[in-house]
Amino acid sequence: MSSILIFIPYFGTLPEVFPFWYNSALNNPDVDFLFITDCDIKEAPNIKVRKSTLEKEKVRFEKALGMEICLPNAYKLCDFKAAYGFIYADEREGYDFWGFGDIDLVYGRIRDYFTEDVLARYDMISGWGHLTLYRNCEFCNTFFMRHHEGFLTFEEAFSKPENCCFDEYFGGCSTVWDTFYPERVFHCESSIDDIRIQSRCSHFRCEFNQERNCMTFMYKDRNLYRIYYDSKYRRHVEPTLYAHFQKRHNWTIKTEDYSCYIIYPDVFRKPFRFLQRIKLTWLGRSRTAHLI
């Protein structure tokens, strides 16, 4: 089986839903995660922790890249994600794939989507900042250094204080992959739920599949399920790779059972005995709330 390592440099306060991320990562024992962090995170067989600070990592980045960089805050780390395989060369040694991801999400069964067939065929998997894999080879590890006319260079992105989306699409590295090497890219937008930030409505709305209505999520048997109604009001229950909640704040946590729970727009809670149509419609309804 191909080995996978996910880098997660993270500094500051862990999100309130982190225990749910942690349990879902534990339930993917064939994927390794490496935190570089100043947070107190318990190590596990597939979750490693290297204590550091943002200032120390800035020094390491500059030494590896041979240039002065702008890293004013932890959020700016997003621009450097595609360079992790180069910067953290020692840590990714021996793995077939390395990648990066976020922790404001809950995983389903990762290997059900990143199968051996997919890993054998593609060099860049997904391309989104919430979870992306690169093949551990010279071409992929240094891909961020390539210059293409009309695209932002890494020197420009790493020297600016603002976030440039250099790690993914919107003109970043993933767009370069998609433009020049589309046959080497595996897209999985239909398999993920990237829940957009909304300033007025707190209900779930998926970036890539906005026709899904009254969305809720259920974590059960080490798997994550999306539950929704389509335009003809037919109910669907489907496994999903992950649900990413895009910096959603003000969660209410009503359960400490991280093995089985339901997620609806502002609450993590234990499952109802019966998920009836009327209850799902009510939980996933459109509500007015200022979240950002």
Side-chain angles (χ1 to χ4, degrees):
M1 179 181 289
S2 299
S3 53
I4 298 172
L5 174 65
I6 306 297
F7 289 107
I8 307 180
Y10 188 91
F11 303 95
T13 303
L14 293 169
E16 54 201 329
V17 299
F18 180 72
F20 299 93
W21 177 94
Y22 190 90
N23 183 76
S24 71
L26 281 180
N27 287 334
N28 283 281
D30 42 14
V31 177
D32 289 343
F33 300 86
L34 174 60
F35 277 92
I36 299 109
T37 184
D38 56 2
C39 301
D40 292 326
I41 297 172
K42 183 180 179 181
E43 287 200 308
N46 69 323
I47 300 176
K48 307 301 180 184
V49 178
R50 175 166 67 78
K51 296 307 285 286
S52 186
T53 65
L54 185 63
E55 292 74 21
K56 289 180 180 178
E57 293 310 297
K58 181 176 185 292
V59 172
R60 178 166 182 172
F61 283 23
E62 291 180 333
K63 183 178 179 180
L65 295 167
M67 62 175 285
E68 185 176 343
I69 66 170
C70 188
L71 191 57
N73 50 59
Y75 183 63
K76 178 63 178 177
L77 284 168
C78 293
D79 276 338
F80 295 87
K81 287 180 175 180
Y84 287 168
F86 182 82
I87 294 169
Y88 297 128
D90 293 343
E91 285 90 343
R92 52 91 174 153
E93 186 175 352
Y95 284 90
D96 297 305
F97 284 83
W98 61 270
F100 49 81
D102 292 335
I103 58 174
D104 53 348
L105 56 76
V106 175
Y107 298 116
R109 295 181 180 176
I110 296 173
R111 294 280 188 164
D112 285 358
Y113 302 88
F114 298 166
T115 64
E116 285 301 299
D117 181 62
V118 167
L119 297 178
R121 182 175 176 182
Y122 300 98
D123 292 329
M124 199 268 281
I125 316 294
S126 177
W128 295 102
H130 359 112
L131 182 62
T132 284
L133 300 185
Y134 279 106
R135 187 177 303 280
N136 189 1
C137 65
E138 183 69 14
F139 182 84
C140 293
N141 297 342
T142 60
F143 187 85
F144 72 97
M145 295 181 172
R146 292 172 172 264
H147 290 185
H148 294 86
E149 186 176 355
F151 289 91
L152 191 68
T153 68
F154 79 96
E155 292 96 339
E156 294 171 320
F158 295 173
S159 300
K160 295 181 177 182
E162 66 273 14
N163 186 283
C164 302
C165 294
F166 187 70
D167 58 316
E168 51 177 54
Y169 294 97
F170 313 109
C173 287
S174 298
T175 306
V176 177
W177 274 98
D178 230 12
T179 302
F180 296 99
Y181 306 97
E183 73 285 353
R184 301 170 74 167
V185 177
F186 178 71
H187 289 280
C188 56
E189 284 84 357
S190 63
S191 302
I192 65 178
D193 290 286
D194 186 23
I195 305 302
R196 62 166 50 187
I197 300 174
Q198 298 186 90
S199 60
R200 289 185 174 275
C201 299
S202 64
H203 63 287
F204 291 151
R205 181 67 68 189
C206 183
E207 289 280 13
F208 306 122
N209 301 279
Q210 296 186 34
E211 72 282 358
R212 295 170 182 166
N213 298 308
C214 300
M215 291 189 73
T216 53
F217 295 92
M218 171 75 80
Y219 192 85
K220 184 179 180 182
D221 299 328
R222 300 187 175 188
N223 212 339
L224 181 67
Y225 299 89
R226 66 168 76 100
I227 306 171
Y228 68 95
Y229 290 96
D230 61 24
S231 59
K232 295 184 179 179
Y233 217 64
R234 293 171 297 196
R235 181 187 177 192
H236 298 263
V237 180
E238 304 165 348
T240 179
L241 172 54
Y242 61 81
H244 174 232
F245 299 109
Q246 287 195 20
K247 303 176 190 173
R248 182 172 286 246
H249 303 297
N250 301 323
W251 290 102
T252 299
I253 309 299
K254 290 188 175 182
T255 181
E256 293 184 357
D257 182 357
Y258 306 124
S259 63
C260 186
Y261 51 88
I262 187 172
I263 310 169
Y264 58 95
D266 53 2
V267 178
F268 281 69
R269 60 153 296 155
K270 64 181 180 181
F272 298 100
R273 186 175 181 185
F274 299 105
L275 278 178
Q276 299 171 332
R277 176 188 293 263
I278 187 65
K279 187 163 288 187
L280 281 172
T281 304
W282 173 253
L283 296 179
R285 73 194 185 281
S286 174
R287 318 164 205 203
T288 299
H290 291 281
L291 299 178
I292 59 174

